Amino acid sequence: MTVINLKIDDKDVSVSKGTNIFMAAKNNEIYIPGLCYHPKLTQYGGCRLCMVEVTERGRTRHRFSCAQPVSEGMEVKTKTPKTVKYTKSVMEYLLAHHPLDCPTCDKAGECGLQDITYDLKLSKGRFKTVRLDEPMKRDNPLLEYNTNRCILCGRCVKVCKEIEGVGAIDYQNRGFKTVIGTAFNKPLDCSFCGGCVSVCPTGSWQDRTLKFRARPWELKKTPTICTYCAVGCTVVLNSKNDNVMRITSNDDLGINEGNLCVKGKFGHEFINSSRRIKTPLIRKTGILCPTSWDEALDYVSKRFSEIINKHGGKAIGGIGSEKSTNEDNYVFQKFCRSVLGTNNIDNMANIKSPSLNRLIRNSVENGLAATSLEEIENADTIFFIGADVTEAHPVIGSMARKAIRLNKSNLIIANTRNIEFNSVARKDIRLNYNLGTQAELINALTKVIVDEELIDLDKVEGSTENLQELRSLLRAYGIRKVSQLTNVSEAAIRSTSGILARPGNCYIVCGKDIEEDPSSEDTIKALMNLCALINTSGTDKASLVFSRSNNNSQGVNDMGVVPDYLPGYLDIDDASKGNSLNVFGLALKNKIKAFYVMGENPIVSYPNGKKVKDAFQKVDFVVVQDNFLTETAQLADVVLPTATYAEKEGTFTNMGMTVQRLNKVIQKVGDSKPDWQIVCDLARKMGHSYSYTSPDEILSEVGNSVPVYEGINNNNLKKEGFRWVSSVYDKRKPAKYKFEIFESQPSAIKISRKYPFILLTRSSLNQQGTYSRNSSSLVAVAPDCFVEINRENAQKMNVKNGDMIMIESTHDKMKLKAKTTSRVPEGTVFVSEDYEGIPVNILRDREYTNVRITKA
Amino acid sequence: MSGETKSIKNTTSGNGDKSVISVCLGTGGIAAGGDKVFAKFEKEIKIKKLDTAVGKRVCKTAKTGCRGLCAKDVLVDISVPGMESLTYERVTVDMVPQIIEEHLTKNTPVKKWLAKDDYHKFHDNQQRLVLGNCGTIDPENIDEYIIRGGYTALHKVLGMVRQLVIAEIKKSGLRGRGGGGFETGWKWESCAGYKADEKFIICNGDEGDPGAFMDRSIMEGDPHVVLEGMIIGGYAIGATKGYVYVRAEYPLAVERLHIAIKQAKEYGFLGEDILGSGYSLDIIVKEGAGAFVCGESTALQYSIEGKRGMPRTRPPQSVEAGLWDKPTCLNNVETFANVPIIINRGAEWYSKIGTEKSKGTKIFALTGNVKNTGLIEVPMGITIREIVFDIGGGIPKKKKFKAVQIGGPSGGCLPESYLDKPIDFESLLEAGAMMGSGSLVVVDETTCMVDMARFFLDFCATESCGKCPPCRVGTTLMLDILIRITQGEGKEEDIDLLEQMSDEINTMSLCGLGQSAPNPVKSTLRHFRDEYLAHILDKDCPTASCVALHKYTVISDKCTKCTLCIRNCPVDAISGSKTEVAFIDKEKCIECNLCYEKCNFMAIK
């Protein structure tokens, strides 16, 4: 990178080539006023405030610093009488019609317009004008827009288009009548990421969850990690008097550059919700009654001991949490294994896709795993397979769009559903394959690369094993045959292979559609073959990342809350290993007599609700630790109140295997305690000395005893995340890749005449389980869980958008609103599984459940 | 007279021994009923079987583009072999049978309808190079263009090395006719210097200035010359695709460009492998959506990309990263129309026309208070006096000349003292105006300069794209002040404030349109400050144009005692008679302004 030396206000400054004067100054703590420029957005140059005097090759001119790149030997003066005079004039124009409502504006105190007015010491202006007085637009529960305060810097328009890919707002009209608005002034219909609020330099866009409850200067701002999806965005919690008032973001912290999604930005109301459980509860005469910690833990300890004595430790099943911290989960598995003496512990992620941990371990050993999510920003080709990032991991979508905008990356999206992903990619290939044919599609892609020698196969031959076997395996995948089977055209398969084989970095996101499919193991092996093939061909890298659902779905597995592995994927020497039944199956077989559930609601989140409910009703004793009285907690004998992410410390590991640290924002709500502390207290009650006093101590132990977390250090975590895949790569060279050979499996899709539709479920952008369910604004913005039904099918059944329809499986039925769409293929319906209040999982008995639909 | 006969001879030679009736069918001609006249001629010729009846004489009707002198439309040229070609002016449908009867069958032209002196004066003082074909050839027929030497320049260029083409244009000294006056050859050279997989050449036909119709007339009257210029430019810079961006408000230009592109493709001048040279270029017509700002080059490019037309900051310049971030060369219609002439006649010949720094001719749209309104082409360096009084025929109704507004809303006005100044890019800037695209509005003594400034500023304020505050808010605030002044509520300090704001908006605006938006105010303040002061201090509009300042009194020496005002007053507030000057009774007057509007002699103030 070329370095340019210049002088700004007599200070010598060195910046990289291509930087504009505005950023060169900002990075060197020199202040230039400006309201429209934002480093993460394309340059605009509309506010005209950043004028500076530039002397270059003997010529002195006035330039706008955001539009002018630095050049060698340039001399910049930011404050000359002329620049001040003219900047003042522009500010005066901006303020001429600006309403004087700072006292009632939520932005006052952190307003760019106020700050520059103050800085330039502007006083009474030259103009007598009528202040703008348009009504405030409040057409949705989350955002409000006040056109009077708008200075038309265009940041919100760009954030919406460039970062979020939505483009819900744009300029309207010309001249003085120019405003920001939606098409035809319809109510705002967007993903509600709140990016507009984050970048707005004035009080035009406001976060309605703040609701005039605090002035900006009263708010304590604590950065921490978001508790929803597995991206692990840094959120800044704004609290006042131990109440979280709103969430903001910080562009310089974490991995998300200040970008958030609707849940991360607005889903905080559950923290101080009145529905939180505030004391321990014990079931007495059939009713859960408040009690003290002592009594509750004594009772749990007594009952656990009885069961151990009677049936042995293995009769207790433990379910760890995808949402709790690594420290909580580490202590939990340690407690289950050493105190209770059971290896029947598991987590929902592992129960849903049992082979995933092993495959991820393989991908790391073979050097195929991505070292982080941010790596996607360096990609030249982005391949989403079975991954709906727009709904499931919105900020990965923003990262991908950044790559597409800056590197002109190619985009390939393969999915059964016609999922939404908007970007400006020049090559944007969509492969909508038939349900259940993903493995064939991937093998066909590999076959084209091998057959047409799109890469240097000699090089591959030298650095891998089994290439010949792979060739013979691929012989079975005739392109025409696969094309017919998958309904993807031959041309599309060929051009996709062509793009994948091109030099450059390729980033593959494997989604839940692949991971939770019954044939996931083969599909992922096929994907690893493809990835390894591209990877070994050149100097550039192809890397693979696997989707995880929750904020710590990766961490709970890393911490060994699984029957197959000890923390860090160390093989376990146990007879129960390889047991084909999961904990619920064991309970139904009477092998498990008690459940200890930490922060999960399996009755709703397991894709066979009835089975789980039966299991819970069958066992003798259930302890549930949670923030809310969930469906599972309602079946418990003892409920223990836990602290949310805002009230505790610890670490989360995102799906890019980056471990990030939480900060405590507020004091615990009610009598709740962090999970680790509850587990430690219980261990002490049961006669073991669990002497941890803080999550830091637990993390030190993890750093010492868990191989993949070796070297993790709490002090370093304060600065940046710990990337455990990188650390593994630093220590070990990747193994020589051996192409995986497998038999193709018969399709798991059953056809039923009585239940002609196949029910698909996946994530929702607006909801994710217990937390979003208890955040009233999130519920208000997307109150309905829809049945998405293909337009053709809907037309035949005379179903219209918004009609109530009955969806029925052999197990149960439920009534939902219909949404006719082209997103789902014919013969399938889609219902999100993230609406905890509308548990679609009770209809299901496997991944692809057959259902029927009738007009209700 | 000489110039006219020369061009007519060419026409006649092109059509052998046929008689030709050429009807002006530019937009001005059509508006005056040209299409009806044309149809009538065709019908009459058919009825009279002139093609066959006499046996000796074959007649043909031809459509032509704009002839320039729109004030006298519909213009019809009739050339009979062996006779001098003659022009009829203000032809109506009723006149057609008589013209055919007398001129074509009896060879006795209808003298009373022939074009008068004004017409000849209008033409004789011009130097029509770029407009040479306009009004002479049928713009919808490529053959007529080719017969008159069309596409020879392209033939010549395709045999040349690119650098030589650019060198020739550079040598000619051609400067952009869109307003800025940037050297065309230099622009081409820098665009040719950037390497990319795609390059674009764009013709800016988004002519939006009020009172400007130069580009429109060229596109309507001689579309092939624009295409030829573009193809030559495209070849020189290595463009892979061309766009003509035309206002959708110019439907005839759009239609004729489409026809021209189709024909040029059929003849191999456009498309794959042009004339076997190996160079390929496709040209697409892109219609604008009615925004003045899209005449600004970067906004125009955004508009082609399908984005909102808003100018962007530079660098990068368009030649480096313009349309879709690819090197792009953008020139004005008139600029491209100059290119074939330079190639055909040589840069040396071309550079002899005009002044030292401004070469060639310039087309102006001459409008306002002048007898011969229309389109003129004059060499650079001509004086305003020559344009207004020789070509334009002076001010009608014996009124006095006051000023010309040159360059549309971004330009400025020049008063009487500048009448003998030669016009070129530099001198206009010096005088506080600018060439702009070439609209030239003549203003007589009855026009209020404050009100005129208000009109142009109103245009700029409404047409601002809204991107930057100086233009969006600044012009609106200035407009507020001007409105206040024209309503008699001005304050003395307003003049200082207007001057300050002009400077601020000029310095701080993002694009050329914003920077030049205060120009009309600035130049009227410079040359007609007294009028502002009269409005502010005396609450008086010297030209009695500002309605709010009317005092409703009769100026006795102007009153002709016609009693028109008396007859029209709805409240009988005016007394007087055929022998007595009118008098307005202030008690009764309701200030409805009707008497002012009705008076033909500006006798009411």
Side-chain angles (χ1 to χ4, degrees):
Chain A
M1 201 180 280
T2 325
V3 171
I4 303 277
N5 302 299
L6 69 156
K7 246 190 189 145
I8 306 179
D9 288 349
D10 298 320
K11 183 177 176 183
D12 288 313
V13 162
S14 302
V15 291
S16 59
K17 198 183 165 188
T19 314
N20 60 30
I21 298 175
F22 190 86
M23 284 315 285
K26 196 178 173 204
N27 294 340
N28 287 282
E29 270 111 42
I30 298 167
Y31 168 76
I32 298 177
L35 293 173
C36 72
Y37 185 76
H38 198 289
K40 72 178 174 189
L41 303 171
T42 50
Q43 189 267 351
Y44 184 63
C47 77
R48 316 311 284 164
L49 292 169
C50 62
M51 190 204 219
V52 291
E53 187 189 283
V54 175
T55 309
E56 220 180 343
R57 281 174 248 114
R59 280 180 74 189
T60 300
R61 290 179 294 183
H62 285 89
R63 285 284 175 263
F64 290 87
S65 63
C66 71
Q68 197 66 27
V70 292
S71 71
E72 189 65 38
M74 187 185 247
E75 274 186 50
V76 178
K77 291 228 171 356
T78 63
K79 267 194 178 162
T80 67
K82 194 177 165 190
T83 62
V84 171
K85 175 187 149 199
Y86 284 113
T87 312
K88 273 186 174 176
S89 76
V90 175
M91 276 303 287
E92 209 181 312
Y93 297 152
L94 283 176
L95 293 169
H97 304 90
H98 193 89
L100 298 170
D101 62 354
C102 297
T104 57
C105 178
D106 261 348
K107 191 81 177 179
E110 51 181 15
C111 170
L113 201 61
Q114 268 186 347
D115 292 347
I116 297 177
T117 308
Y118 192 81
D119 178 67
L120 289 173
K121 301 186 177 62
L122 285 175
S123 55
K124 204 174 149 227
R126 294 168 289 178
F127 310 108
K128 283 203 177 63
T129 45
V130 179
R131 305 280 155 177
L132 292 171
D133 193 20
E134 293 294 318
M136 181 93 91
K137 272 189 199 159
R138 283 197 187 100
D139 50 24
N140 68 80
L142 300 178
L143 299 166
E144 64 183 23
Y145 177 64
N146 183 331
T147 183
N148 307 321
R149 297 174 186 152
C150 179
I151 56 153
L152 293 171
C153 67
R155 282 182 183 182
C156 56
V157 173
K158 274 186 294 178
V159 111
C160 196
K161 252 182 223 156
E162 295 170 7
I163 308 270
E164 195 63 10
V166 171
I169 43 170
D170 211 327
Y171 306 91
Q172 295 177 344
N173 312 333
R174 271 178 237 177
F176 189 67
K177 291 182 184 139
T178 313
V179 288
I180 304 286
T182 55
F184 311 110
N185 281 324
K186 287 187 172 169
L188 191 63
D189 180 17
C190 66
S191 62
F192 294 101
C193 68
C196 43
V197 184
S198 306
V199 294
C200 182
T202 73
S204 294
W205 287 102
Q206 297 278 1
D207 177 349
R208 290 190 69 186
T209 62
L210 180 60
K211 288 183 199 124
F212 302 103
R213 293 182 299 164
R215 308 311 310 267
W217 53 86
E218 298 174 319
L219 291 167
K220 187 182 86 175
K221 295 188 172 184
T222 319
T224 190
I225 306 300
C226 179
T227 188
Y228 286 97
C229 81
V231 175
C233 297
T234 298
V235 286
V236 180
L237 266 55
N238 290 218
S239 59
K240 175 184 165 186
N241 301 336
D242 279 334
N243 268 284
V244 175
M245 296 294 185
R246 67 165 178 187
I247 291 177
T248 53
S249 58
N250 185 332
D251 295 359
D252 303 324
L253 294 178
I255 63 170
N256 52 314
E257 245 194 328
N259 303 325
L260 296 173
C261 72
V262 59
K263 297 189 292 273
K265 174 81 187 166
F266 300 106
H268 56 82
E269 285 156 326
F270 75 93
I271 300 168
N272 296 99
S273 161
S274 57
R275 289 196 288 269
R276 283 277 298 271
I277 320 171
K278 298 195 177 73
T279 60
L281 306 170
I282 286 186
R283 193 171 293 278
K284 290 175 182 163
T285 59
I287 298 160
L288 285 169
C289 306
T291 180
S292 69
W293 274 109
D294 249 356
E295 191 190 342
L297 290 179
D298 276 339
Y299 182 63
V300 173
S301 146
K302 193 183 105 206
R303 291 294 305 270
F304 275 166
S305 304
E306 283 169 14
I307 292 165
I308 294 168
N309 290 337
K310 205 167 161 192
H311 306 284
K314 284 193 178 124
I316 303 175
I319 296 173
S321 173
E322 293 181 78
K323 290 165 247 168
S324 296
T325 62
N326 289 322
E327 292 75 1
D328 294 334
N329 280 304
Y330 177 81
V331 173
F332 180 78
Q333 62 85 28
K334 188 170 171 178
F335 170 82
C336 289
R337 286 186 165 123
S338 68
V339 179
L340 301 179
T342 177
N343 199 36
N344 289 326
I345 55 170
D346 218 331
N347 66 78
M348 297 311 295
N350 189 50
I351 295 173
K352 287 185 200 169
S353 25
S355 55
L356 193 58
N357 281 333
R358 185 162 30 83
L359 293 163
I360 291 180
R361 193 175 79 164
N362 285 353
S363 78
V364 174
E365 281 166 0
N366 289 303
L368 300 177
T371 55
S372 71
L373 285 178
E374 309 90 279
E375 219 180 285
I376 196 170
E377 291 176 6
N378 303 322
D380 299 293
T381 301
I382 295 166
F383 185 18
F384 293 138
I385 176 147
D388 184 358
V389 292
T390 307
E391 295 281 345
H393 305 110
V395 176
I396 296 186
S398 304
M399 292 174 182
R401 270 182 286 272
K402 185 178 176 187
I404 290 165
R405 201 156 44 84
L406 301 181
N407 319 345
K408 312 232 177 308
S409 320
N410 302 305
L411 176 70
I412 305 161
I413 295 182
N415 207 302
T416 312
R417 288 180 297 136
N418 185 16
I419 57 160
E420 199 175 306
F421 186 83
N422 300 320
S423 75
V424 292
R426 284 195 112 178
K427 276 265 181 202
D428 181 344
I429 298 183
R430 307 279 168 141
L431 311 171
N432 288 337
Y433 55 81
N434 281 342
L435 197 61
T437 61
Q438 55 272 41
E440 285 81 0
L441 177 69
I442 296 168
N443 280 326
L445 294 174
T446 314
K447 184 183 165 75
V448 173
I449 295 179
V450 174
D451 285 1
E452 297 183 6
E453 300 202 22
L454 298 176
I455 51 169
D456 185 354
L457 286 180
D458 293 340
K459 218 167 165 184
V460 177
E461 180 92 68
S463 54
T464 57
E465 282 176 41
N466 263 3
L467 183 61
Q468 288 317 316
E469 286 82 348
L470 180 71
R471 276 173 188 266
S472 51
L473 170 80
L474 293 175
R475 227 162 265 150
Y477 295 89
I479 304 301
R480 179 166 303 165
K481 211 174 93 191
V482 172
S483 168
Q484 280 163 0
L485 183 74
T486 56
N487 197 27
V488 174
S489 73
E490 285 183 53
I493 295 177
R494 281 180 210 283
S495 66
T496 307
S497 294
I499 288 174
L500 288 171
R502 259 186 221 175
N505 295 324
C506 177
Y507 197 91
I508 304 172
V509 179
C510 172
K512 286 268 147 205
D513 290 357
I514 305 287
E515 292 166 16
E516 292 187 7
D517 186 272
S519 67
S520 68
E521 194 164 348
D522 292 348
T523 317
I524 292 171
K525 280 177 181 169
L527 194 59
M528 277 163 58
N529 285 349
L530 175 65
C531 187
L533 193 68
I534 313 169
N535 211 3
T536 41
S537 68
T539 46
D540 302 309
K541 201 173 148 47
S543 42
L544 196 53
V545 75
F546 293 92
S547 289
R548 293 290 198 175
S549 297
N550 286 292
N551 55 327
N552 204 27
S553 299
Q554 183 61 41
V556 66
N557 288 295
D558 291 349
M559 291 303 114
V561 190
V562 287
D564 308 345
Y565 296 112
L566 288 172
Y569 306 103
L570 292 177
D571 286 318
I572 200 162
D573 187 20
D574 186 89
S576 64
K577 194 188 161 190
N579 202 327
S580 60
L581 289 174
N582 61 34
V583 279
F584 306 122
L586 291 170
L588 288 172
K589 289 247 160 160
N590 257 334
K591 300 222 166 112
I592 281 180
K593 299 284 180 193
F595 275 127
Y596 182 14
V597 183
M598 178 172 87
E600 284 295 348
N601 188 9
I603 287 183
V604 170
S605 62
Y606 185 71
N608 190 342
K610 192 170 173 295
K611 180 179 163 189
V612 179
K613 201 164 184 176
D614 289 347
F616 272 85
Q617 276 160 348
K618 191 153 192 169
V619 296
D620 301 337
F621 183 61
V622 177
V623 181
V624 173
Q625 246 165 249
D626 214 323
N627 311 118
F628 292 90
L629 205 58
T630 62
E631 282 77 1
T632 310
Q634 283 167 24
L635 296 177
D637 298 285
V638 179
V639 181
L640 306 171
T642 59
T644 64
Y645 78 125
E647 299 142 56
K648 65 183 178 188
E649 289 178 329
T651 56
F652 288 157
T653 306
N654 75 3
M655 64 190 248
M657 277 76 149
T658 303
V659 186
Q660 301 182 97
R661 188 177 182 276
L662 297 177
N663 288 309
K664 188 170 168 177
V665 180
I666 55 171
Q667 291 304 316
K668 61 182 186 175
V669 170
D671 230 357
S672 66
K673 283 184 186 178
D675 288 302
W676 66 269
Q677 209 172 344
I678 300 171
V679 177
C680 290
D681 290 349
L682 187 58
R684 279 193 288 272
K685 287 269 183 213
M686 294 180 75
H688 290 252
S689 78
Y690 273 48
S691 59
Y692 308 110
T693 56
S694 72
D696 284 8
E697 285 181 28
I698 305 171
L699 190 68
S700 306
E701 187 176 319
V702 169
N704 291 330
S705 63
V706 179
V708 293
Y709 280 57
E710 196 187 319
I712 194 166
N713 181 326
N714 215 331
N715 284 329
N716 294 341
L717 278 183
K718 281 177 188 162
K719 286 179 212 126
E720 63 171 336
F722 171 79
R723 297 186 171 84
W724 71 253
V725 175
S726 297
S727 111
V728 169
Y729 287 171
D730 288 346
K731 283 170 210 150
R732 269 204 309 270
K733 266 189 81 175
K736 196 172 187 183
Y737 186 75
K738 188 173 171 187
F739 285 108
E740 300 268 6
I741 309 300
F742 46 82
E743 297 283 307
S744 80
Q745 303 269 330
S747 168
I749 295 146
K750 293 204 176 79
I751 294 160
S752 155
R753 198 169 286 176
K754 214 171 161 198
Y755 297 94
F757 286 91
I758 290 170
L759 172 64
L760 305 176
T761 86
R762 209 51 72 207
S763 320
S764 150
L765 171 66
N766 295 298
Q767 290 286 322
Q768 189 164 14
T770 316
Y771 299 152
S772 60
R773 182 189 191 178
N774 288 293
S775 297
S776 49
S777 297
L778 278 185
V779 175
V781 78
D784 292 315
C785 174
F786 291 97
V787 183
E788 291 182 23
I789 174 166
N790 184 283
R791 286 214 179 90
E792 304 287 320
N793 289 139
Q795 209 168 15
K796 276 179 208 152
M797 298 170 60
N798 197 21
V799 169
K800 290 187 189 64
N801 238 350
D803 284 356
M804 289 306 283
I805 55 177
M806 183 71 79
I807 172 167
E808 188 177 354
S809 75
T810 49
H811 294 272
D812 214 331
K813 58 184 175 185
M814 60 204 303
K815 222 184 194 177
L816 290 172
K817 253 189 206 168
K819 189 188 230 171
T820 63
T821 168
S822 55
R823 289 204 330 165
V824 294
E826 277 188 73
T828 62
V829 290
F830 176 88
V831 182
S832 165
E833 59 182 340
D834 279 339
Y835 281 78
E836 206 182 65
I838 301 140
V840 70
N841 283 330
I842 60 165
L843 301 180
R844 299 171 73 197
D845 52 8
R846 57 176 181 278
E847 180 60 22
Y848 302 117
T849 309
N850 295 77
V851 292
R852 71 171 167 221
I853 281 170
T854 42
K855 264 181 102 168
Chain B
M1 204 72 175
S2 58
E4 182 60 18
T5 35
K6 210 190 283 169
S7 67
I8 297 300
K9 262 182 200 154
N10 282 341
T11 326
T12 341
S13 66
N15 286 289
D17 54 355
K18 284 183 191 171
S19 293
V20 177
I21 305 164
S22 310
V23 184
C24 172
L25 286 181
T27 297
I30 291 175
D35 49 348
K36 292 194 187 99
V37 172
F38 180 75
K40 185 74 178 172
F41 268 114
E42 287 211 306
K43 197 176 152 198
E44 287 292 315
I45 287 170
K46 230 181 204 165
I47 292 170
K48 299 221 155 127
K49 299 202 170 114
L50 281 180
D51 314 46
T52 52
V54 194
K56 287 181 208 158
R57 186 165 291 161
V58 183
C59 285
K60 184 188 160 207
T61 40
K63 296 175 177 180
T64 65
C66 184
R67 311 290 312 274
L69 192 56
C70 302
K72 307 280 194 246
D73 266 325
V74 176
L75 293 164
V76 176
D77 279 346
I78 295 189
S79 68
V80 178
M83 270 179 73
E84 189 191 17
S85 167
L86 292 170
T87 306
Y88 290 91
E89 62 181 32
R90 297 184 200 238
V91 178
T92 60
V93 176
D94 306 337
M95 291 153 72
V96 172
Q98 197 181 338
I99 294 174
I100 292 186
E101 180 65 28
E102 298 195 5
H103 195 157
L104 286 169
T105 47
K106 296 183 187 159
N107 282 350
T108 50
V110 192
K111 289 229 167 75
K112 57 177 176 178
W113 292 336
L114 283 177
K116 311 283 174 329
D117 263 6
D118 269 352
Y119 176 81
H120 299 296
K121 255 178 102 177
F122 179 79
H123 279 284
D124 295 351
N125 290 298
Q126 295 188 45
Q127 185 172 8
R128 289 169 83 97
L129 293 177
V130 177
L131 294 176
N133 286 337
C134 281
T136 312
I137 61 164
D138 179 351
E140 296 178 12
N141 185 347
I142 191 172
D143 291 328
E144 293 200 14
Y145 179 67
I146 294 172
I147 286 168
R148 293 186 50 118
Y151 288 111
T152 48
L154 179 64
H155 272 284
K156 198 169 158 189
V157 159
L158 291 175
M160 285 161 77
V161 194
R162 293 198 162 134
Q163 287 81 348
L164 277 180
V165 182
I166 295 172
E168 189 73 7
I169 300 295
K170 270 177 99 176
K171 210 168 112 193
S172 74
L174 175 65
R175 292 171 69 173
R177 299 295 194 242
F182 196 78
E183 275 182 57
T184 308
W186 203 90
K187 193 190 257 182
W188 287 13
E189 188 176 46
S190 58
C191 189
Y194 288 101
K195 287 195 170 57
D197 55 342
E198 275 181 296
K199 277 191 192 181
F200 299 104
I201 187 143
I202 301 179
C203 174
N204 183 350
D206 190 63
E207 185 178 46
D209 288 5
F213 46 89
M214 299 74 58
D215 297 345
R216 166 184 218 156
S217 298
I218 300 175
M219 290 186 288
E220 288 176 359
D222 195 7
H224 284 288
V225 76
V226 183
L227 294 185
E228 190 179 357
M230 279 184 78
I231 303 165
I232 293 171
Y235 174 75
I237 64 157
T240 51
K241 205 174 201 176
Y243 286 90
V244 191
Y245 188 90
V246 199
R247 305 177 69 182
E249 294 90 332
Y250 285 179
L252 189 62
V254 172
E255 188 193 324
R256 289 190 174 160
L257 279 166
H258 276 300
I259 296 170
I261 288 172
K262 194 172 157 252
Q263 290 175 344
K265 279 186 182 163
E266 284 164 9
Y267 279 64
F269 299 128
L270 250 184
E272 293 292 313
D273 191 14
I274 296 172
L275 299 172
S277 64
Y279 175 65
S280 304
L281 181 75
D282 191 14
I283 293 180
I284 290 163
V285 178
K286 171 83 191 170
E287 288 174 54
F292 176 65
V293 73
C294 289
E296 201 275 348
S297 63
T298 55
L300 185 151
Q301 288 162 15
Y302 276 163
S303 175
I304 293 180
E305 290 176 23
K307 297 176 185 159
R308 179 181 163 100
M310 274 181 159
R312 61 164 173 83
T313 56
R314 287 177 266 198
Q317 299 290 346
S318 297
V319 288
E320 184 187 348
L323 187 62
W324 283 300
D325 288 338
K326 303 286 178 189
T328 302
C329 177
L330 185 140
N331 287 113
N332 169 266
V333 172
E334 194 187 330
T335 317
F336 280 125
N338 270 288
V339 169
I341 298 167
I342 295 169
I343 300 290
N344 276 332
R345 298 201 165 177
E348 207 153 306
W349 173 85
Y350 186 87
S351 62
K352 281 183 189 138
I353 309 167
T355 62
E356 192 197 334
K357 283 185 175 167
S358 305
K359 301 296 183 193
T361 58
K362 174 79 191 98
I363 306 174
F364 288 102
L366 186 62
T367 55
N369 301 326
V370 62
K371 278 186 190 158
N372 301 333
T373 56
L375 201 65
I376 59 166
E377 183 178 351
V378 290
M380 295 274 191
I382 195 171
T383 63
I384 300 172
R385 188 184 296 281
E386 285 173 89
I387 293 178
V388 176
F389 290 95
D390 295 346
I391 300 173
I395 315 293
K397 295 185 188 168
K398 293 176 188 157
K399 299 253 165 73
K400 236 182 113 209
F401 171 87
K402 190 172 190 179
V404 282
Q405 171 78 18
I406 297 188
S410 316
C413 69
L414 301 178
E416 208 178 348
S417 55
Y418 285 78
L419 267 178
D420 292 311
K421 278 238 169 184
I423 302 181
D424 65 18
F425 286 105
E426 275 71 29
S427 67
L428 282 180
L429 274 182
E430 218 170 276
M434 65 188 269
M435 187 75 83
S437 52
S439 84
L440 214 153
V441 185
V442 181
V443 169
D444 71 14
E445 55 183 335
T446 60
T447 309
C448 170
M449 297 312 278
V450 183
D451 196 49
M452 193 186 78
R454 184 202 54 78
F455 168 80
F456 280 117
L457 196 69
D458 189 17
F459 179 85
C460 288
T462 345
E463 286 296 335
S464 161
C465 76
K467 182 166 177 174
C468 69
C471 174
R472 177 182 75 233
V473 186
T475 54
T476 310
L477 288 169
M478 272 179 95
L479 185 63
D480 286 349
I481 298 173
L482 283 178
I483 291 173
R484 242 178 36 223
I485 294 177
T486 57
Q487 290 180 340
E489 286 159 28
K491 284 174 280 196
E492 210 176 341
E493 56 269 29
D494 283 344
I495 291 187
D496 274 350
L497 185 55
L498 283 174
E499 275 176 341
Q500 277 172 25
M501 291 177 75
S502 299
D503 172 45
E504 288 160 9
I505 295 170
N506 179 268
T507 314
M508 299 306 273
S509 286
L510 193 158
C511 77
L513 298 182
Q515 286 160 9
S516 58
N519 279 0
V521 181
K522 235 160 98 180
S523 70
T524 46
L525 268 173
R526 176 168 160 187
H527 300 301
F528 298 95
R529 202 184 190 88
D530 290 349
E531 276 193 39
Y532 280 85
L533 288 171
H535 281 80
I536 294 169
L537 300 177
D538 310 337
K539 311 291 174 205
D540 178 41
C541 174
T543 60
S545 315
C546 297
V547 176
L549 293 177
H550 285 173
K551 297 186 173 71
Y552 299 104
T553 52
V554 179
I555 307 163
S556 356
D557 35 333
K558 283 193 180 172
C559 179
T560 60
K561 308 172 187 112
C562 71
T563 69
L564 194 61
C565 53
I566 301 172
R567 277 176 278 143
N568 277 290
C569 180
V571 290
D572 292 331
I574 311 177
S575 55
S577 67
K578 295 261 180 201
T579 54
E580 205 182 331
V581 170
F583 173 78
I584 304 173
D585 184 351
K586 288 282 169 55
E587 297 277 298
K588 286 188 186 167
C589 178
I590 56 165
E591 303 191 351
C592 69
N593 209 39
L594 203 59
C595 53
Y596 172 82
E597 283 165 25
K598 289 288 170 186
C599 181
N600 287 323
F601 308 97
M602 302 290 291
I604 292 173
K605 200 173 171 176

